[in-house]
Amino acid sequence: MAPRATQQSRASQGKKKGSGASQHARRADDSDENDSEDANDDEQEGDGDEDEDMAGGEQAGSQKKGKKPNKGSVGGSGSGGGGTLSDEVKRTHLDELQRLSKNIVRLALSMTGKRAKLTRSDINAHALPPKSKAFNAAFIGAQKILRNTFGMELVEMMSRTERDKLGEEAPREEGGAKRKSQASSKSYVLRSTLPPALIKVASAKDNDLLTAEIQDLRDLGLVGDNEDDDAREGPLGSLLAWKSVESLALTGVLQLILCLILVNGRSIPEPQLKNQLKHFHLHWSSSFPMPAHHTEKEITLDAYLTRMKNEEMLDYITVSTMGGGGATQASATQHRRKSRVTADEGQVVEWKWGVRAHAEISEESVAQFMTSFMKTQWKDEQEALLAQDEDDEAAGGANPQKKNKQKGTFEERREELKAKADKYGATVYKDIVRAAGGSLTEIKPVA
């Protein structure tokens, strides 16, 4: 039998074990209750997430069906908060797109001042952030700004390959449809969108405007009171002052050369061009005055052609005059003097339209200009002869044979003359198209 002390110690240990077991049981019960409460909370949160997902799904479904999301729903424009964030994101995106569009506008105006073309690589490098995919959207925005604010637009130039194939029939596929043109040049120039009628009115001289401009110059002390206003180089009294920004004489020379190239089959040898320009008293050494903002006071025709070559208004190729040679495209950096030295060795220079001229002027516009000019000149000559006959008849000195040939009154003859002038103009236009070697290019509207 164990001593009493030992029994008491064992009893006390048993009580401690029992109390410990009960504490563990109570802790287990508390943990079970906490787990159940957490589970209930999770279920409630899960139900909330499901509700949000369902709301989002309903909103997406309504947007796909073209329905507006309800106010207060997730992603809506109500007090839910999602709509405000979406509007801010859209507003930020539009502001950034507007900034990029203005960058393209500034770059285009800067390149136009230098008479240089604007390439897509220039836009990506100087107007857009690196690796940007917003070119199309920013370009459309830039076109809107240019048209609405400056009356201009960016137009893509054709490639030299497309230019050299003008007049040739486009190759066709097996089904008979024409093949699509080659890849674009990705080079752009600014072109005016002002209607010709508006340009004509804005270029007309207005005496009130001229008087106001002269008075402003006098107030600034730039013009004396006793100076002859008509003999002075100054304002023209028109909204569009062409003379102050470019030489009108050189512009006329360029138009003349473009006309001669077009009616000679879209290319003309340099010796032949020299010969034809002599009929207009124009020589390679002829000099022309330059506007005040240019560094040089005057420029020769030879130097002007080189300048137009660099601006891509004109272009040239070297053609072999020997039996085995063919046409070779001249390098863009090659100076025209070098090509003329080559011409002494059995080759000749042929001038063509530049790709910029096709984008800014077009062959159709030049053909219409020549038709209008020749039609007006022919009509003026016929009207002068008619007026002379009328004066002779009034004076009684008309030839009897001419009197017998005259049919109707002079008013009827003038009406007939208008119809004949239109018929003569149509004939001239057909001759120009035939001389060019095919259908003429037109300026395509930009979307």
Side-chain angles (χ1 to χ4, degrees):
M1 186 173 179
R4 186 175 295 179
T6 305
Q7 293 177 356
Q8 290 178 354
S9 62
R10 289 177 178 175
S12 61
Q13 289 177 2
K15 290 179 180 180
K16 290 180 180 179
K17 290 181 179 180
S19 62
S22 61
Q23 289 178 359
H24 285 298
R26 283 196 300 270
R27 289 175 182 174
D29 294 337
D30 293 340
S31 63
D32 293 338
E33 292 177 358
N34 293 334
D35 293 340
S36 63
E37 291 176 358
D38 294 339
N40 293 331
D41 294 339
D42 293 339
E43 290 179 359
Q44 293 177 359
E45 292 178 358
D47 294 338
D49 293 339
E50 291 178 359
D51 294 338
E52 291 179 359
D53 294 339
M54 292 176 63
E58 291 177 358
Q59 178 196 357
S62 64
Q63 290 177 354
K64 289 180 180 179
K65 295 178 181 179
K67 297 180 181 179
K68 295 182 179 179
N70 296 327
K71 292 184 178 181
S73 62
V74 177
S77 59
S79 60
T84 304
L85 180 60
S86 178
D87 292 342
E88 291 179 356
V89 172
K90 290 180 180 178
R91 193 178 300 108
T92 303
H93 176 70
L94 292 177
D95 292 343
E96 177 66 14
L97 195 59
Q98 184 76 357
R99 186 183 67 83
L100 297 179
S101 298
K102 291 180 180 179
N103 290 344
I104 297 177
V105 170
R106 282 191 290 267
L107 182 61
L109 294 174
S110 174
M111 300 299 285
T112 301
K114 301 175 184 177
R115 295 294 294 171
K117 62 183 179 181
L118 177 65
T119 63
R120 181 162 181 169
S121 58
D122 292 333
I123 296 176
N124 291 329
H126 303 292
L128 302 180
K131 299 181 180 180
S132 175
K133 297 182 179 180
F135 176 85
N136 292 334
F139 189 84
I140 293 174
Q143 291 283 55
K144 292 181 180 179
I145 296 174
L146 288 169
R147 289 167 181 161
N148 298 333
T149 305
F150 299 96
M152 307 180 78
E153 66 181 357
L154 282 168
V155 59
E156 187 174 5
M157 297 191 299
M158 66 171 63
S159 62
R160 289 188 175 183
T161 304
E162 293 175 338
R163 190 274 315 272
D164 294 338
K165 291 183 178 180
L166 290 177
E168 299 180 3
E169 186 177 357
R172 297 179 178 272
E173 298 178 352
E174 295 181 356
K178 292 184 179 180
R179 294 180 182 177
K180 295 182 179 179
S181 59
Q182 297 180 355
S184 61
S185 64
K186 296 181 180 181
S187 300
Y188 307 89
V189 292
L190 276 180
R191 184 179 65 196
S192 173
T193 59
L194 297 179
L198 179 60
I199 295 177
K200 185 177 181 180
V201 173
S203 302
K205 181 179 179 180
D206 184 87
N207 292 328
D208 295 336
L209 181 59
L210 178 61
T211 302
E213 289 179 343
I214 293 175
Q215 187 61 42
D216 290 341
L217 293 177
R218 284 175 177 169
D219 294 340
L220 294 173
L222 301 177
V223 177
D225 292 337
N226 298 326
E227 187 173 353
D228 188 7
D229 296 330
D230 295 333
R232 170 184 57 80
E233 185 83 16
L236 302 177
S238 60
L239 295 178
L240 295 178
W242 300 106
K243 199 171 183 179
S244 61
V245 294
E246 59 182 321
S247 174
L248 298 182
L250 289 175
T251 303
V253 171
L254 175 62
Q255 296 291 333
L256 173 61
I257 293 175
L258 291 176
C259 292
L260 294 176
I261 293 174
L262 181 62
V263 297
N264 278 276
R266 292 190 170 97
S267 66
I268 182 172
E270 187 171 287
Q272 184 178 348
L273 178 62
K274 286 183 177 181
N275 254 344
Q276 294 185 6
L277 288 178
K278 286 180 181 179
H279 296 290
F280 299 92
H281 303 285
L282 294 173
H283 305 275
W284 243 232
S285 59
S286 300
S287 59
F288 302 89
M290 297 293 290
H293 65 274
H294 281 268
T295 55
E296 60 270 10
K297 294 183 179 180
E298 59 182 21
I299 188 173
T300 63
L301 179 58
D302 189 9
Y304 180 68
L305 291 179
T306 302
R307 178 180 163 189
M308 290 297 99
K309 167 68 170 61
N310 295 334
E311 294 181 6
E312 298 189 89
M313 292 296 293
L314 295 174
D315 198 5
Y316 64 85
I317 58 175
T318 55
V319 180
S320 176
T321 58
M322 311 299 286
T328 57
Q329 183 68 37
S331 172
T333 57
Q334 183 183 18
H335 196 275
R336 198 166 59 85
R337 290 289 184 183
K338 185 176 180 180
S339 68
R340 293 173 65 184
V341 172
T342 308
D344 296 336
E345 301 174 357
Q347 292 183 341
V348 65
V349 174
E350 284 193 357
W351 286 93
K352 289 188 172 187
W353 279 40
V355 291
R356 191 186 190 106
H358 284 284
E360 292 186 356
I361 303 174
S362 84
E363 295 176 345
E364 178 66 24
S365 299
V366 170
Q368 292 292 345
F369 165 74
M370 286 190 288
T371 301
S372 176
F373 173 78
M374 298 185 69
K375 172 184 171 181
T376 303
Q377 186 180 23
W378 181 86
K379 184 179 178 182
D380 291 343
E381 291 176 355
Q382 296 299 319
E383 287 181 348
L385 293 175
L386 183 61
Q388 185 177 358
D389 291 344
E390 189 175 3
D391 293 340
D392 292 342
E393 184 177 353
N399 191 343
Q401 295 180 355
K402 289 185 177 180
K403 284 185 177 181
N404 294 332
K405 292 182 180 180
Q406 290 177 355
K407 297 179 180 179
T409 63
F410 286 99
E411 288 76 11
E412 292 177 351
R413 292 177 61 185
R414 286 192 177 88
E415 293 298 327
E416 293 177 359
L417 186 59
K418 293 180 181 178
K420 289 181 179 179
D422 294 336
K423 186 177 181 180
Y424 176 79
T427 303
V428 170
Y429 178 79
K430 290 180 181 178
D431 292 340
I432 293 173
V433 175
R434 190 181 300 109
S439 58
L440 305 179
T441 60
E442 299 183 31
I443 292 180
K444 298 179 181 179
V446 181

